[in-house]
């Protein structure tokens, strides 16, 4: 087979040879730099390994041979807030630990208990209590207005004495006979004056009432006196409280008057 590549001339050979020479020099230079870098890296590695071994040896030596330092104890009294902290030895890789020493509790001063508060006694005695304890009766004395009045007591009885048409002095004349046994009568209800108001003598009526109460006091000094009445006369709008005469209370009016007197007697 015939050679198809034509022969090179002398000038071309010289150029190719020069190019190869330059490329070879560049490769040799890179090889030298790599060798120098390799040497540096090996030296660095050796130095690091030697340093690590030395540090580890020193650490083991210090860890095993470091004595425990004894701290002087303070003569001050121990308190609850006293704390002692320790610095770890060199080479300790764990976290710092703060230890707390047990403290001795300070004895609390003993104090005597406070005196008890003063006790104040408040008297709740009712001065009318003997009236209830002995079950003393009560009486109602009056004119025809109290004919159907029926009052009651929690203890004891209530007696009604009706004198139709009686005036204040007429009622006063009946008091000695009614209160002849005054020790058993705790209260007396006086209902009079309706027959006196027709005379329209105000001053005379005041004087007669004073005489009536003085008669009761002189006859039975311990009896309580209650004045009831006279009632108002008939007024429009209150028809159910009065009878047809407009003066005497009806059944409803008598019950209302009885209830009012009963509440008054129970309150004393």
């Amino acid at each position: 087979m015939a050679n198809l590549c034509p022969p090179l001339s002398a000038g071309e050979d010289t150029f190719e040879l020069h190019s190869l020479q330059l490329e070879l020099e560049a490769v040799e230079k890179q090889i030298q730099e790599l060798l120098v870098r390799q040497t540096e890296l090996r030296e660095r590695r050796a130095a690091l390994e030697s340093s690590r071994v030395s540090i580890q040896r020193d650490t083991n030596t210090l860890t095993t041979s470091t004595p425990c330092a004894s701290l002087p104890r303070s003569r001050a009294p121990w308190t609850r807030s006293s704390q002692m902290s320790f610095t770890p030895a060199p080479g300790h890789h764990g976290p710092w630990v703060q230890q707390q020493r047990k403290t001795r509790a300070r004895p609390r001063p003993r104090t005597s208990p406070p005196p008890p508060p003063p006790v104040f006694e408040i008297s709740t005695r009712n001065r009318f209590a003997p009236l209830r304890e002995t079950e003393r009766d009560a009486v109602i004395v009056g004119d025809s207005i109290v004919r159907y009045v029926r009052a009651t007591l929690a203890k004891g009885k209530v007696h009604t004495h009706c004198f139709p048409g009686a005036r204040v002095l007429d009622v006063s004349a009946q008091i000695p006979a009614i209160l002849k046994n005054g020790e058993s009568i705790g209260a007396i209800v006086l209902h009079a004056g309706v027959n006196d108001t027709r005379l329209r003598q105000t001053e005379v009526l005041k004087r007669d009432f004073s005489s009536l109460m003085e008669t009761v006091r002189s006859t039975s000094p311990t009896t309580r006196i209650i004045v009831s009445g006279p009632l108002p006369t008939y007024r429009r709008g209150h028809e159910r409280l009065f009878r047809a005469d407009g003066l005497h209370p009806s059944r409803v009016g008598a019950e209302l008057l009885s209830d009012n007197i009963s509440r008054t007697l129970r309150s004393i």
Side-chain angles (χ1 to χ4, degrees):
M1 186 173 185
N3 188 5
L4 298 179
C5 294
L8 299 174
S9 60
E12 292 177 352
D13 292 340
T14 302
F15 177 78
E16 184 177 359
L17 180 60
H18 182 69
S19 298
L20 292 175
Q21 184 66 30
L22 293 176
E23 186 176 355
L24 182 59
E25 291 177 357
V27 171
E28 290 178 354
K29 184 177 180 180
Q30 292 179 359
I31 292 173
Q32 293 295 329
E33 293 177 353
L34 291 175
L35 291 174
V36 172
R37 180 60 178 167
Q38 182 181 17
T39 302
E40 293 177 354
L41 291 176
R42 286 179 178 177
E43 293 176 355
R44 179 64 177 167
R45 183 181 64 181
L48 292 175
E49 290 179 353
S50 176
S51 177
R52 184 179 65 176
V53 172
S54 178
I55 292 174
Q56 186 175 3
R57 188 186 305 110
D58 295 341
T59 301
N60 295 336
T61 302
L62 292 174
T63 303
T64 56
S65 62
T66 300
C68 295
S70 60
L71 299 177
R73 296 184 179 180
S74 175
R75 295 183 180 180
W78 292 349
T79 60
R80 189 178 299 272
S81 60
S82 300
Q83 295 182 355
M84 185 68 67
S85 61
F86 296 89
T87 304
H92 181 74
H93 301 287
W96 289 45
V97 179
Q98 185 177 10
Q99 299 181 356
Q100 183 175 1
R101 179 180 297 175
K102 295 183 179 180
T103 58
R104 184 181 302 169
R106 178 179 296 178
R108 298 181 178 179
R110 297 182 178 179
T111 58
S112 59
V119 178
F120 300 96
E121 295 184 359
I122 301 176
S123 177
T124 57
R125 180 177 177 275
N126 187 352
R127 62 193 181 102
F128 300 115
L131 178 62
R132 295 191 177 96
E133 294 174 358
T134 56
E135 298 185 3
R136 301 177 69 181
D137 297 340
V139 294
I140 301 174
V141 183
D143 47 31
S144 58
I145 301 297
V146 298
R147 183 188 300 272
Y148 300 103
V149 172
R150 300 293 181 268
T152 58
L153 280 174
K155 294 181 180 180
K157 300 179 180 180
V158 180
H159 305 278
T160 302
H161 299 271
C162 175
F163 301 98
R167 295 164 61 179
V168 174
L169 291 182
D170 298 331
V171 173
S172 180
Q174 303 296 327
I175 294 299
I178 297 173
L179 298 181
K180 59 182 178 180
N181 190 14
E183 294 181 357
S184 63
I185 305 300
I188 181 172
V189 180
L190 302 175
H191 191 104
V194 65
N195 296 317
D196 295 83
T197 55
R198 299 177 180 179
L199 303 177
R200 298 183 179 181
Q201 296 178 354
T202 307
E203 297 300 326
V204 175
L205 181 59
K206 291 180 181 179
R207 186 173 59 252
D208 293 345
F209 261 108
S210 299
S211 177
L212 171 60
M213 289 185 288
E214 185 62 30
T215 301
V216 174
R217 291 193 186 99
S218 60
T219 304
S220 179
T222 61
T223 301
R224 297 277 296 178
I225 301 174
I226 301 172
V227 178
S228 172
L231 294 178
T233 57
Y234 169 80
R235 293 181 182 179
R236 187 179 300 276
H238 298 81
E239 293 84 356
R240 66 189 187 93
L241 299 179
F242 293 92
R243 293 186 179 181
D245 58 5
L247 180 63
H248 295 86
S250 62
R251 182 180 61 83
V252 177
E255 292 178 356
L256 180 60
L257 181 59
S258 301
D259 185 61
N260 291 338
I261 295 177
S262 298
R263 286 202 302 267
T264 303
L265 290 174
R266 293 173 184 176
S267 65
I268 62 175

